Amino acid sequence: MSDQAHELREQVRERYAAAAVRAGTGREASCCSDGGPTAIKDLTGELYDEAERSSLPTEAVLASLGCGNPLAVAELREGETVLDLGSGGGIDVLLSAKRVGTAGKVYGLDMTEEMLALALANAAKAGADNVDFLKGHIEAIPLPADRVDVIISNCVINLSVDKPAVFAEMFRVLKPGGRLGISDVVAEDHLTTDDRAERGNYAACIAGALSFTEYREGLAAAGFTDIDITPTHEAAPDMHAATVRATKPADAVQRPTLPLAPTSGCCG
């Protein structure tokens, strides 16, 4: 990884560590906003069902940092195994745990110690026994191949410094026939990388966003089919929060991958 990539990843880690601390002290956290004129409007409270939100620990709701509701996209079913990439304070993990039931399993993956600690506390308060939080990076998911039925993520993939690796890892850990249900920020095709950087910084979920074509091509190159990317609301001029759906073919043959790093479990 280049020095610039390391620096960007550290900026993201610091931002989310601070957000976790803020949420843990009863204050609302902010993710995809730096207070500037192009900040993404926080729509989390409007997109999650009030009854579901009210059933969760307050800290989990305060730490909900996404730009959409991936559970509305993923259509989770009883007994499924789910992976949340960039699980933060655990709101999507805990809501998923309710939907898949005791026969199901939900993994949350995050690189930030502070977020993992907050998620552990929230899971304990919620009495969620079918969840497990893992420490790691979404570019090297610490799970075996063909492990999960569904991958969800909420405004996190745009923060990755190596998106092709993320797409390849998602394909690897999904079972054949598995699917993606993601919320993310996507740029219109005519915007250059410099254009995106002018609209917001990397840690604020703007500069690192892929274009619609780049996103589709990246998922297709990893092996995904049935790709659908639908904008939902404006994140910045000519940039959108969007839902992303895709499927790993039922007859998919596992592609060669680099050796998997040892699993780093946390909090489960």
Side-chain angles (χ1 to χ4, degrees), residues 1 5 9 138-139 157 159-168 202:
M1 186 184 298
R9 178 180 279 178
I138 62 176
E139 300 86 359
I157 293 174
L159 296 169
S160 171
V161 296
D162 187 352
K163 295 172 181 66
V166 177
F167 295 152
Y202 203 97

Side-chain angles (χ1 to χ4, degrees), residues 33-220:
S33 169
D34 53 13
T38 61
I40 298 174
K41 182 182 178 183
D42 180 9
L43 294 179
T44 299
E46 298 175 22
L47 294 176
Y48 285 89
D49 180 80
E50 177 59 30
E52 286 188 314
R53 293 173 68 241
S54 64
S55 70
L56 298 177
T58 300
E59 293 83 358
V61 177
L62 290 173
S64 59
L65 304 174
C67 56
N69 179 359
L71 277 73
V73 183
E75 301 177 349
L76 302 182
R77 308 179 188 110
E78 185 85 15
E80 289 187 316
T81 299
V82 181
L83 169 64
D84 182 12
L85 298 182
S87 50
I91 184 171
D92 291 321
V93 169
L94 298 179
L95 291 175
S96 296
K98 292 176 180 288
R99 298 193 183 191
V100 302
T102 56
K105 176 76 172 181
V106 185
Y107 295 98
L109 175 63
D110 206 281
M111 69 174 180
T112 311
E113 290 281 0
E114 292 85 351
M115 278 297 186
L116 289 168
L118 180 63
L120 171 60
N122 289 333
K125 290 176 183 177
D129 297 325
N130 59 338
V131 306
D132 191 13
F133 290 97
L134 308 172
K135 182 181 179 183
H137 297 108
I138 62 176
E139 300 86 359
I141 299 171
L143 286 174
D146 304 332
R147 172 58 66 91
V148 303
D149 298 293
V150 188
I151 291 176
I152 63 174
S153 185
N154 200 345
C155 208
V156 170
I157 293 174
N158 70 83
L159 296 169
S160 171
V161 296
D162 187 352
K163 295 172 181 66
V166 177
F167 295 152
E169 280 290 270
M170 291 194 299
F171 191 88
R172 181 183 66 81
V173 301
L174 274 174
K175 299 175 183 177
R179 64 193 186 278
L180 306 179
I182 291 170
S183 295
D184 209 358
V185 175
V186 186
E188 293 188 11
D189 288 338
H190 67 86
L191 294 185
T192 66
T193 54
D194 287 341
D195 291 335
R196 298 169 216 177
E198 290 175 357
R199 286 159 169 76
N201 67 38
Y202 203 97
C205 308
I206 300 296
L210 296 173
S211 70
F212 283 91
T213 295
E214 289 167 343
Y215 221 121
R216 291 189 188 94
E217 290 179 348
L219 289 171

